[in-house]
Amino acid sequence: MSKTTASDPAPSAAEDQELGDAGSQLSTAPKEDAPHLPALGVIGWARWFWRQLTSMRVALLLLLLLSLGAIPGSLIPQSGQDETKVADFRKGNPTLGDIYDKLGLFHVYSSVWFSAIYILLFVSLIGCIVPRTWQFVGQLRGLPPGAPRRLNRLPAHTTWRTTAEPEQVHRAALALLKKRRFRTHLTGDAVAAEKGYLRELGNLVFHIALIVMLVAFAWGQLYKSEGNKLVVEGAGFSNTLTQYDDFKSGNLFTSDDLVPFSFNLKKFTGTYERSGPNKGTPRVYKADITYSAGAYGKDETDTVEVNHPLEVGDSKVYLVSHGYAPVVTVRDAKGKIVFDDAVPLLPLDGNVTSSGVVKVLDGYRNAKGEKEQLGFNAFLVPTFGGHASGTMLSQFPALDNPLLALSAYHGDLGADSGIPQSVYQMDRSNMKEFKNSEGKLFKKLLKPGETMKLPNGAGSVTFGKEVKEWAGFQVVQQPGSGWALAGALAAIGGLAASLFIQRRRVWVRAVRGADGVTVVEMAGLGRSESAKVPEELGHLAGDLYEQAPGAPDDPADSPDTDQEPGTEPPVPAEGAEK
């Protein structure tokens, strides 16, 4: 009985020379030459540098450096994202700030050193991919190499004698291997077959996908934009720079790149878990809007929810925050309304305890008829626990028992100074406190519908019965994200193919022996640490044996007297399935 045997997993250098083309590389990885010094001169050094740059080890090193270089961009404030934080860092750390400035750490992604790593990585990957691609194309256009002279020197091989003619064995082998999706052809006295080309294709796809992702990320960073806008129920937003509360963009972004659209917030709906360990957790969190794309677009309705943004062209509008905007009415000394609007307040905790300011900039005259500006610190508790609770913190995020605390000031808010101010903070440097009868800051707690009268007939402030809600939206425009996703998926698929698909070759030789009986030899070779080559060869040999059974006087039959001669096919190699 003949056997399928497995020898060393890879032939030695001497054996490679003996195998010839059959033992050639089963991948398109560049051959590693023995280390040697480059030729003297500019051309020699240029060739040496190019070989080093386009080697896979340098590509991996550059990829590592790129990852390490991105760390400062995540930990250190970036000038393109938040100039205020950068200024605060420089003010608090003058020495370190100067060092960071010289190293370009405040603008990592546009710095010279980060750009150099990025470009070198591009060049390295392209220099690796292009020659391997041409080599792979050449392999696809060529035929599997012919069988080596001694098949029994290959890692997996088997042999038996059969009464079938060599031509019959060749035809059966061609049909069998083609059925198993091998590329086959008859060369000389042997059938040559090869399979697993997708392994190298996956390797190339993986590296090309890396380039696609790098290009997509660079494109996205250079042309991205990201802005935030707080919109009160009933109000709207138009996608222009002046409408944003804060805005940041990539270095090559211009205002002309903004996608033209607008929307109005009709209603915000938020419901919360009323009991249990998840009390206060949002259950419904959505914003009903009407929007139009373009300057003359038709109005359409939509609902923006968490992780379900509104998409208009390349822009996505995300729902990111929520709060309350109590309606406040301010009257002057003569009872004239000088302010009547919903004032958005910013949440301080998970139960939406909120704070902010009410600013009356124009139209107010005090009891003496003098023009002044008013300012009120506002503190809203959506669900007041009562005075017995001893706290002014909300007990629940819904408007179950709202209470508004106001403290009053008058004077100059500094709005005309030319210095930008936050609408949620008040500059009290030129403001005076309204005093109560005890000479302390005048303040009062108001329920919806209640009015606070200012001292000395200076006017009044009314907390309206309606408390509107506001929603915070983030408008993101980042081109190339689709390409980045496609590149990531392609990279995963290519990596899986390069790891799990095995490149291997099989040869079947059938020649007539001196005694007129056909001798069949089968051998397999895999250069990818393929432990399944002997197993697969065993299955192929078993199927071929059924069409070319062993000769009755086959001297390789088992000496077991209980078996009839010539009736048992070749068995797989040790460790393979029987």
Side-chain angles (χ1 to χ4, degrees), residues 134 156 577:
W134 283 117
E577 296 181 1

Side-chain angles (χ1 to χ4, degrees), residues 524-545:
L525 177 64
R527 290 284 180 89
S528 57
E529 292 88 28
S530 174
K532 292 186 177 181
V533 171
E535 176 185 344
E536 184 175 33
L537 185 67
H539 291 309
L540 291 172
D543 293 342
L544 185 59
Y545 188 88

Side-chain angles (χ1 to χ4, degrees), residues 24-175:
S24 62
Q25 283 184 295
L26 290 178
S27 74
T28 56
K31 294 182 179 180
E32 295 288 344
D33 298 327
H36 60 279
L37 294 175
L40 296 176
V42 177
I43 296 178
W45 280 106
R47 286 178 178 174
W48 178 84
F49 177 78
W50 177 253
R51 287 175 182 173
Q52 298 302 314
L53 180 60
T54 55
S55 65
M56 191 55 62
R57 64 174 67 91
V58 172
L60 293 174
L61 178 61
L62 290 172
L63 190 60
L64 176 62
L65 289 177
L66 192 70
S67 302
L68 294 176
I71 294 177
S74 302
L75 301 178
I76 300 174
Q78 298 296 291
S79 57
Q81 297 179 356
D82 197 328
E83 292 285 357
T84 303
K85 287 186 177 180
V86 173
D88 292 342
F89 186 91
R90 285 173 172 166
K91 184 177 179 180
N93 306 274
T95 303
L96 193 60
D98 291 339
I99 296 176
Y100 282 2
D101 207 15
K102 292 179 181 180
L103 296 177
L105 296 182
F106 288 124
H107 50 93
V108 168
Y109 303 112
S110 59
S111 63
V112 174
W113 58 269
F114 191 86
S115 300
I117 297 174
Y118 213 86
I119 294 173
L120 286 174
L121 181 59
F122 270 114
V123 175
S124 179
L125 287 174
I126 294 173
C128 290
I129 291 172
V130 171
R132 295 182 68 158
T133 301
W134 283 117
Q135 187 176 350
F136 180 62
V137 171
Q139 291 181 358
L140 291 178
R141 296 177 62 183
L143 295 173
R149 182 170 58 87
R150 299 178 62 183
L151 289 177
N152 61 353
R153 300 298 300 273
L154 294 182
H157 59 273
T158 185
T159 181
W160 74 91
R161 291 156 54 87
T162 181
T163 55
E165 296 296 324
E167 294 78 7
Q168 180 183 352
V169 176
H170 291 155
R171 288 194 300 270
L174 286 170

Side-chain angles (χ1 to χ4, degrees), residues 483-543:
W483 284 100
L485 176 60
L489 295 176
I492 294 173
L495 183 62
S498 64
L499 291 176
F500 298 111
I501 296 178
Q502 301 168 347
R503 184 86 173 269
R504 62 269 195 200
R505 292 168 181 161
V506 173
W507 294 272
V508 181
R509 173 177 286 142
V511 295
R512 195 180 303 278
D515 56 356
V517 178
T518 301
V519 178
V520 181
E521 290 183 281
M522 290 187 69
L525 177 64
R527 290 284 180 89
S528 57
E529 292 88 28
S530 174
K532 292 186 177 181
V533 171
E535 176 185 344
E536 184 175 33
L537 185 67
H539 291 309
L540 291 172
D543 293 342

